[in-house]
Amino acid sequence: MSDPNQGNQQAPGGGFIGKLRAPWRSMLDESPRAVRAFWVGSIIILLLLAFADLFVHHHAHFGIDGTPGFYSLYGLGACIVMVIVSKFVVGLVLKRRDTYYDD
Amino acid sequence: MIEFPPGLILVLGALLLPFASGVVRSALALLLPLATLVAVWLVPDNAHVTVPFMGDMEMTILQWNPPTRVFATIFALMAFGGALFSLNQNRRVELPAAFVYAGSAICVTFAGDMLSLFIFWEMMAVGSTIVVWSGNTEASGRAGLRYAAVHFVGGAVLMAGILAHVFALKAGGVENPIELGYYAFGPGGFDALSFGGVGDIAPWLILIGILINAATPPFGSWLADAYPEASESGTVFLSAFTTKTSVYVLMLLFAGTELLIYAGLMMAVYGIVYAILENDMRRILAYSIVNQVGFMVCGIGIGTEMALNGAAAHAFAHIIYKALLLMSAGSVLYMTGKRKCTDLGGLYHTMPITMWCGIIGALAISAFPWTSGFVSKSMISQAAADNHLFLAWMILTAASAGVFLHAGIKFPWFVFFQKDSGLRPPDPPWNMKAAMIFFAGLCILIGVFYEPLYAILPFPAAAGEVLYQPYTVSHVVSQLQLLLWSGLAFFLLLPVLKRTLTITLDFDWLWRSFFPWLWRNLLRPLVTVLGWIRDVFFIEIKRLAAAFTGEEKTSGKGSIFREWSLGSAMVLLTFTLFIFLVVGFMH
């Protein structure tokens, strides 16, 4: 059983993989097989979907949206940009303790 | 045949609710919305009911407008789902207030003139404020007050706009200047929104009044401020009506107004950015309302038949899955008493029904194929593409990806999975489960059998034609790519998305923090200093002069210059006015 208070903290292992694993630690403790199956299955589906574009004809309206893999890369890229903007630009300026208005 | 606004069944029925209890109350709570739904469908196509107003004018309280059927139907359905979800709660005023709120929203959709629309619009504000207050906490009391203030200011702005336009129309010799047709500014595009001549302020005021209710930044912070402070069931009701009624009114009055494309895109992005930073699960969902309404507002700005159909369909689908998500969050709050993601997690162990319903809602809001969001949202994107609006299409597509990130995965993941919070609550009482299962079923049903929804849209297909074909291989593959790869982004960025005990400042900071600060540190000292100056000039100097001249002992003279109390001055003033009045009448 994991300590509920530690679930959100950094993995002791460090490094990129360690950081990626940290949020999963609680679930890994419970059922490592389910987590592994989730990841393996997801990656297979992601790749299949991206390569499906080679066989699916997209009716392109702007040109760029007809490029194979466009939706995959655009979805990934847009999300990364949005998270970075919100966490490190907006968040940096506007984030306060959640007792801000109570004080 | 029904010859009265069907929404009145809910409004008037709500007045009976507080006197009923037990089974009768439950039966009323469930039957009133259903009766309203039936009544909506029994209103004849050519219905036109008017009531006289101020002698020479007429208010049209019942008429079909193009988007009426789809909005009135979903509002009634939502009132039923919300009532079922709130059946076990014992707050006396909440459900009646929610019914007044929902019924007024339905009345807005049947209003045939600006004035009756405005009256029901304001009734919604009253009902919803009471729903917020029914949260029965100190925070909900204060949030409700702020909510009421924003909405009544919004109402005043709207009324000012209506009046400005009425006077302009009257000057132009129009006989019935409150008729809805005179307020359809939309096709005029930016020309309608200019500052060229007399009366041009009217469309602006009306637009701002509506956008305040649509939660468009910078007027929109009331939503994430007030909704999450209501009770578990109150928030479910609140999520449905105010913003979607604004979408309905925007569709009637401002379809094709280019400015709305940009307003909608801004809302879509704003909702995502704030939801990513948020820790309170119901505030995450509140921000995602702004995001979703952004899609609809953008569609209204595009203004083609396809775009307006898409916006209306999306409002219909959105009300269901958003209510479902908030029911899921409400069930978690009801069973655990916790609302912050930092306190939650691992609930999949013991709340499977709540979790699965939450996930279905999350898939629907993300517009996964075979859910309701897919068959509605794709029409708006398609309309943007058909009109070669490249920027709008790119932002809408990015925002679709962002929806999955901020609501689709984030909400279920942090509440039901991630770390184990150690909480082991069971699923909520039967009525809450039933409401969730009902709405989850609708999400999938609409996603698969979308024709009945398409049939009631503002611009139905001509006989023998297909309105829109959502399920093409290209559509499904591209949407799945977009969503699942943004899912990958979520899990890659999880370490960055770590929950923190923070809030993010919004425009409500102005009146919650800045104005009080301004009063404390600038205005109050200023007023105090002015008070001193007044004292010195008008009292001290007089007293000093009196001391030098020895006048203060001659009290008879002094009494002429004695300061009058406000009360006696008012009495004298009123009396004088009364004398004037009497004298005036006698002449």
Side-chain angles (χ1 to χ4, degrees):
Chain A
M1 216 39 216
S2 66
D3 181 350
N5 297 322
Q6 290 199 339
N8 246 351
Q9 285 169 16
Q10 289 289 316
F16 182 65
I17 296 294
K19 276 187 179 164
L20 269 187
R21 278 171 66 95
W24 293 84
R25 208 171 46 190
S26 166
M27 315 248 311
L28 273 169
D29 287 347
E30 243 175 86
S31 174
R33 283 182 58 200
V35 174
R36 203 167 299 132
F38 171 80
W39 271 100
V40 171
S42 302
I43 288 169
I44 291 173
I45 292 174
L46 288 172
L47 290 177
L48 280 179
L49 273 171
F51 281 103
D53 272 0
L54 297 176
F55 309 100
V56 176
H57 172 70
H58 289 296
H59 175 65
H61 288 271
F62 306 106
I64 189 173
D65 49 333
T67 325
F70 165 76
Y71 286 93
S72 301
L73 292 178
Y74 189 60
L76 183 71
C79 283
I80 291 175
V81 169
M82 277 187 288
V83 168
I84 288 172
V85 166
S86 83
K87 276 278 168 186
F88 300 112
V89 180
V90 179
L92 213 61
V93 182
L94 295 177
K95 217 153 79 164
R96 297 288 184 278
R97 287 183 326 282
D98 59 2
T99 53
Y100 177 80
Y101 286 119
D102 307 333
D103 297 345
Chain B
M1 281 291 126
I2 301 285
E3 292 288 349
F4 60 92
L8 289 182
I9 297 177
L10 269 180
V11 175
L12 299 176
L15 304 179
L16 296 176
L17 269 181
F19 303 106
S21 59
V23 188
V24 182
R25 182 177 178 279
S26 302
L28 265 180
L30 296 179
L31 288 177
L32 283 172
L34 288 180
T36 310
L37 181 61
V38 173
V40 166
W41 279 79
L42 285 182
V43 174
D45 284 345
N46 55 355
H48 191 84
V49 176
T50 58
V51 290
F53 171 69
M54 279 173 52
D56 58 338
M57 279 198 262
E58 279 191 332
M59 288 203 309
T60 309
I61 52 169
L62 184 74
Q63 118 182 0
W64 288 104
N65 299 307
T68 298
R69 194 178 298 273
V70 62
F71 280 89
T73 303
I74 187 58
F75 286 164
L77 209 57
M78 175 63 222
F80 172 76
L84 180 58
F85 185 76
S86 69
L87 219 51
N88 64 319
Q89 53 90 5
N90 51 12
R91 286 174 294 273
R92 280 255 148 193
V93 247
E94 184 182 281
L95 193 61
F99 275 7
V100 169
Y101 177 37
S104 315
I106 295 172
C107 288
V108 167
T109 65
F110 277 103
D113 67 87
M114 241 4 229
L115 199 69
S116 50
L117 189 147
F118 178 79
I119 291 169
F120 292 123
W121 180 272
E122 289 297 287
M123 271 168 62
M124 288 176 66
V126 175
S128 54
T129 303
I130 298 173
V131 175
V132 175
W133 273 332
S134 300
N136 278 338
T137 59
E138 209 191 315
S140 76
R142 280 197 304 252
L145 211 57
R146 290 192 295 270
Y147 177 86
V150 170
H151 283 278
F152 290 121
V153 168
V157 173
L158 179 59
M159 190 71 233
I162 296 172
L163 282 179
H165 203 53
V166 163
F167 289 135
L169 288 170
K170 275 251 169 194
V174 172
E175 245 174 49
N176 198 4
I178 54 172
E179 216 175 275
L180 218 46
Y182 294 117
Y183 293 80
F185 303 107
F190 271 122
D191 291 339
L193 294 177
S194 67
F195 280 117
V198 193
D200 274 6
I201 189 84
W204 281 102
L205 290 175
I206 294 174
L207 182 64
I208 290 173
I210 302 170
L211 286 182
I212 288 176
N213 272 27
T216 310
F219 319 112
S221 54
W222 57 265
L223 196 154
D225 176 23
Y227 284 3
E229 299 303 335
S231 72
E232 308 85 45
S233 46
T235 309
V236 172
F237 279 111
L238 289 166
S239 72
F241 302 111
T242 304
T243 47
K244 261 62 74 184
T245 309
S246 312
V247 167
Y248 165 85
V249 178
L250 279 177
M251 194 176 287
L252 278 188
L253 307 187
F254 290 97
T257 301
E258 199 182 340
L259 184 67
L260 290 182
I261 298 180
Y262 308 108
L265 293 175
M266 178 179 70
M267 290 170 77
V269 173
Y270 157 93
I272 294 173
V273 168
Y274 271 79
I276 287 174
L277 290 167
E278 191 50 59
N279 184 29
D280 182 320
M281 63 176 168
R282 291 197 301 166
R283 289 187 61 141
I284 294 175
L285 297 176
Y287 280 121
S288 95
I289 296 178
V290 182
N291 157 275
Q292 292 294 302
V293 173
F295 282 92
M296 300 168 213
V297 171
C298 183
I300 293 168
I302 295 171
T304 59
E305 288 194 0
M306 165 90 84
L308 296 176
N309 277 342
H314 203 47
F316 190 99
H318 167 83
I319 287 177
I320 297 174
Y321 57 66
K322 178 56 67 181
L324 174 59
L325 283 165
L326 283 166
M327 284 175 185
S328 175
S331 301
V332 169
L333 175 65
Y334 185 76
M335 299 309 293
T336 64
K338 295 182 192 306
R339 50 192 272 190
K340 292 177 189 167
C341 287
T342 34
D343 298 332
L344 294 163
L347 296 183
Y348 74 92
H349 289 105
T350 51
M351 299 185 84
I353 294 177
T354 311
M355 175 196 82
W356 279 112
C357 289
I359 288 178
I360 290 173
L363 293 178
I365 196 175
S366 315
F368 253 81
W370 301 287
T371 64
S372 54
F374 182 74
V375 300
S376 59
K377 196 202 277 173
S378 55
M379 289 166 91
I380 301 176
S381 298
Q382 186 68 43
D386 287 344
N387 287 278
H388 310 290
L389 300 166
F390 180 64
L391 182 74
W393 184 83
M394 285 295 270
I395 294 179
L396 284 180
T397 309
S400 300
V403 175
F404 190 45
L405 182 87
H406 85 267
I409 313 187
K410 183 178 167 174
F411 165 69
W413 174 257
F414 283 111
V415 173
F416 298 107
F417 301 100
Q418 172 94 341
K419 59 161 194 183
D420 186 358
S421 60
L423 300 167
R424 291 288 183 271
D427 269 318
W430 72 268
N431 64 302
M432 293 176 142
K433 281 190 282 197
M436 284 193 285
I437 292 169
F438 174 53
F439 271 20
L442 279 181
C443 281
I444 294 172
L445 215 63
I446 295 170
V448 180
F449 304 103
Y450 50 86
E451 287 92 352
L453 172 60
Y454 284 5
I456 59 170
L457 293 182
F459 303 97
E465 277 181 41
V466 179
L467 184 81
Y468 176 64
Q469 180 51 262
Y471 290 108
T472 63
V473 178
S474 161
H475 264 157
V476 171
V477 168
S478 52
Q479 182 69 1
L480 282 175
Q481 279 192 25
L482 187 74
L483 293 181
L484 293 180
W485 281 80
S486 28
L488 178 68
F490 177 86
F491 287 114
L492 287 179
L493 292 167
L494 251 186
V496 183
L497 289 168
K498 195 167 60 177
R499 305 293 76 229
T500 50
L501 281 167
T502 53
I503 56 163
T504 312
L505 299 186
D506 203 333
F507 281 93
D508 55 347
W509 175 80
L510 274 184
W511 53 87
R512 294 178 72 177
S513 202
F514 180 66
F515 291 157
W517 177 89
L518 210 64
W519 165 247
R520 271 196 312 275
N521 297 313
L522 215 67
L523 289 177
R524 196 169 59 189
L526 193 72
V527 170
T528 315
V529 170
L530 285 176
W532 289 337
I533 293 173
R534 168 190 166 278
D535 286 354
V536 167
F537 272 91
F538 293 102
I539 298 174
E540 297 302 326
I541 289 181
K542 200 169 75 186
R543 192 176 296 165
L544 219 64
F548 272 113
T549 55
E551 263 180 8
E552 61 189 326
K553 276 153 202 130
T554 55
S555 55
K557 245 183 179 176
S559 68
I560 296 175
F561 300 103
R562 200 184 57 214
E563 281 178 276
W564 279 49
S565 72
L566 198 62
S568 43
M570 287 302 286
V571 170
L572 184 71
L573 198 67
T574 316
F575 184 70
T576 321
L577 285 175
F578 179 71
I579 297 292
F580 267 110
L581 205 67
V582 172
V583 171
F585 264 114
M586 286 196 305
H587 277 284

